Amino acid sequence: DLYRIEADPELDQLGLFEALDDPVVVVIEWAERFKVLPGDHLRIELEHTGDTSRRLRATAGGAESLAILHAWHSALEPAGGS
């Protein structure tokens, strides 16, 4: 959560860049506050659409994340496709 981070040096203290170097999933809330996302990333946004509903929007930032997004979409697609 980068909401309370005020300056770039604090990102180093968090170990964020080390985490981004590893081949793992890293979830960053408020990532738009700093330029920390690698070029190839999967951006997931949640939008309030009602009191008890949300819309999820996923955007790929490169080839690897696009492949992940396609696999995710295929796994979620109802049997028989649409």
Side-chain angles (χ1 to χ4, degrees):
D1 183 355
L2 300 184
Y3 183 74
R4 290 178 178 79
I5 303 300
E6 296 180 11
D8 286 347
E10 292 178 70
L11 298 173
D12 285 330
Q13 293 171 354
L14 288 174
L16 178 61
F17 298 111
E18 290 83 5
L20 291 172
D21 285 340
D22 292 337
V24 297
V25 174
V26 177
V27 178
I28 304 172
E29 190 176 14
W30 295 93
E32 65 274 6
R33 290 182 45 87
F34 296 92
K35 294 183 186 250
V36 296
L37 297 177
D40 194 349
H41 64 275
L42 187 58
R43 181 180 189 90
I44 299 173
E45 299 176 68
L46 297 174
E47 175 187 352
H48 288 265
T49 57
D51 288 340
T52 60
S53 61
R54 307 288 183 273
R55 176 177 296 130
L56 184 142
R57 179 176 296 129
T59 309
E64 188 174 348
S65 58
L66 183 59
I68 292 168
L69 187 57
H70 283 295
W72 188 20
H73 182 269
S74 295
L76 295 174
E77 189 172 277
S82 57

